Amino acid sequence: MDDYTPQLPEEDSLYEHYAFTVDKGQTPLRIDKYLMNFVENATRNKIQAAAKNGSIFVNDDAVKSSYKVKPLDSIRVLFTHPPHENLLVGEDIPIDVIYEDDELLVVNKPAGMVVHPGHGNYSGTLINALIHRFDNLPNNSSDRPGLVHRIDKDTSGLLVVAKTEKAMAHLSLQFAKKTSEREYVAIVWGHIEEEEGTIEGNIGRHPKNRLQNTVFFDDEADKGKPAVTHYKVLERLGYVTLVSCKLETGRTHQIRVHMKHIGHTLFNDERYGGEKILKGTTFTKYKQFVDNCFKVLPRQALHAKTLGFKHPKTEEFMRFDTPIPDDMQQCIDKWKTYSKHQME
């Protein structure tokens, strides 16, 4: 451990912002480089400044930015101010509520809206909108008011929000027991041969790129959590395929990771490599066509289309459905036209 004793505030005035345990197979790596793979939107300068201020601890000792992480190191990043996500402020942001009663509401989230505050996104989130609109929303196990589940920033579609403690407990149990119904529509790269299939593979953090998840199997399966996705081909559009994906589990990035795992990365999914041309020809005209599709749909092609669950009070099964949003539909239409011309 480096001999390093910076001027630190009293321990009880520090707030934990991040906590990690280093993987068993980690090779020695400077902690400033290591944390850049963990913390979204962090720059190396910011991480080095945090180390200089004595905010980065390994096994409870403050370290310099040059410290090299080792397997099973316990890393904590502490600051004198609480995490921004704990300082929730209501904001008057319009939300598309498609159903509401005394127990819950169902929201159609637009692409680009973050669900809950986190590093780099402290305002403009769905939670900021919800706490402006409602008092005393129940907290989930992560202290996030109202949230039963979440979808990624650049995924559009349906979310159920709990308004009472009873609804939070009841709905969360349905998601945990896999009795809720969630169907997504996605455009993926490549021609899927089968009409339908099931992808099973434990999902966990990617060992090298901590902003990605990946599938672990065989001897490494215990590094991830069980995940099951059922997919069905809706339409084949030449070099891409329109699919329906039903979730049996709800892991982070599950559809994005599972579809990549079987060789069909989501169209324009930048984090997982789908913003590159993964299938097709080398013609300049084709490249221009794909670039135009990316401009029409500047995000991963994923929409949470259908959501079903039992109402926590009436026990009635409720199912909600939303149309595919305009940006995604425009992209589908472009591929339809292109593939039709290819077959002529």
Side-chain angles (χ1 to χ4, degrees), residues 4-273:
Y4 182 48
T5 51
Q7 290 300 108
L8 295 176
E10 293 298 315
E11 175 67 28
D12 60 6
S13 68
L14 292 173
Y15 297 88
E16 183 174 281
H17 283 236
Y18 301 100
F20 313 108
T21 300
V22 178
D23 290 340
K24 289 179 185 176
Q26 178 66 47
T27 53
L29 181 67
R30 282 177 60 110
I31 197 162
D32 51 358
K33 285 187 176 180
Y34 180 82
L35 286 175
M36 278 181 69
N37 290 330
F38 263 96
V39 181
E40 196 166 2
N41 300 325
T43 64
R44 198 163 173 191
N45 284 343
K46 283 183 183 175
I47 292 168
Q48 288 173 342
K52 194 172 183 181
N53 292 338
S55 297
I56 298 177
F57 292 76
V58 177
N59 306 326
D60 295 326
D61 291 322
V63 297
K64 292 179 181 177
S65 55
S66 59
Y67 172 80
K68 290 194 173 177
V69 299
K70 298 187 294 294
L72 301 180
D73 272 350
S74 174
I75 299 173
R76 296 167 73 212
V77 183
L78 307 177
F79 291 110
T80 53
H81 60 88
H84 289 275
E85 54 262 44
N86 294 354
L87 306 172
L88 294 174
V89 176
E91 295 177 60
D92 189 5
I93 303 165
I95 49 178
D96 182 10
V97 176
I98 65 169
Y99 174 83
E100 182 177 356
D101 62 24
D102 291 342
E103 298 290 325
L104 59 89
L105 66 152
V106 176
V107 175
N108 186 19
K109 185 190 84 67
M113 176 183 259
V114 176
V115 172
H116 58 76
H119 189 84
N121 297 289
Y122 302 121
S123 64
T125 75
L126 179 61
I127 282 190
N128 294 114
L130 290 171
I131 62 174
H132 171 81
R133 185 168 175 153
F134 303 105
D135 293 325
N136 304 317
L137 285 173
N139 280 345
N140 66 12
S141 58
S142 302
D143 292 327
R144 286 170 177 152
L147 281 196
V148 178
H149 61 127
R150 58 179 288 276
I151 57 178
D152 297 328
K153 173 186 173 183
D154 289 325
T155 299
S156 53
L158 294 174
L159 285 162
V160 61
V161 175
K163 291 170 71 175
T164 66
E165 295 286 353
K166 179 187 175 183
M168 176 65 77
H170 196 286
L171 291 165
S172 296
L173 191 62
Q174 289 183 59
F175 278 77
K177 288 189 168 182
K178 308 171 189 173
T179 57
S180 61
E181 180 184 319
R182 283 170 291 170
E183 180 188 7
Y184 290 68
V185 174
I187 307 168
V188 301
W189 279 108
H191 176 85
I192 298 179
E193 296 290 339
E194 308 82 11
E195 287 298 320
E196 55 188 69
T198 296
I199 310 164
E200 295 186 60
N202 289 14
I203 289 178
R205 288 273 190 200
H206 195 291
K208 291 183 179 172
N209 184 344
R210 306 301 296 191
L211 300 180
Q212 284 188 10
N213 282 350
T214 191
V215 173
F216 292 98
F217 41 88
D218 298 335
D219 293 344
E220 294 191 315
D222 61 349
K223 290 183 178 178
K225 292 181 179 177
V228 181
T229 305
H230 306 285
Y231 69 86
K232 184 177 182 179
V233 170
L234 298 176
E235 196 166 356
R236 294 187 172 87
L237 301 167
Y239 298 122
V240 300
T241 305
L242 184 66
V243 294
S244 156
C245 294
K246 289 191 175 179
L247 293 184
E248 197 170 301
T249 53
R251 307 299 173 206
T252 301
H253 300 174
Q254 179 170 321
I255 292 171
R256 300 164 71 183
V257 172
H258 267 173
M259 294 311 293
K260 178 174 182 173
H261 179 63
I262 65 166
H264 296 287
T265 304
L266 263 64
F267 187 77
N268 210 11
D269 187 350
E270 186 176 354
R271 185 166 293 189
Y272 289 92

Side-chain angles (χ1 to χ4, degrees), residues 283-298:
F283 298 137
T284 306
K285 274 190 175 179
Y286 175 69
K287 183 180 183 301
Q288 187 59 56
F289 163 75
V290 175
D291 284 344
N292 287 338
C293 288
F294 287 158
K295 284 173 186 168
V296 165
L297 182 68

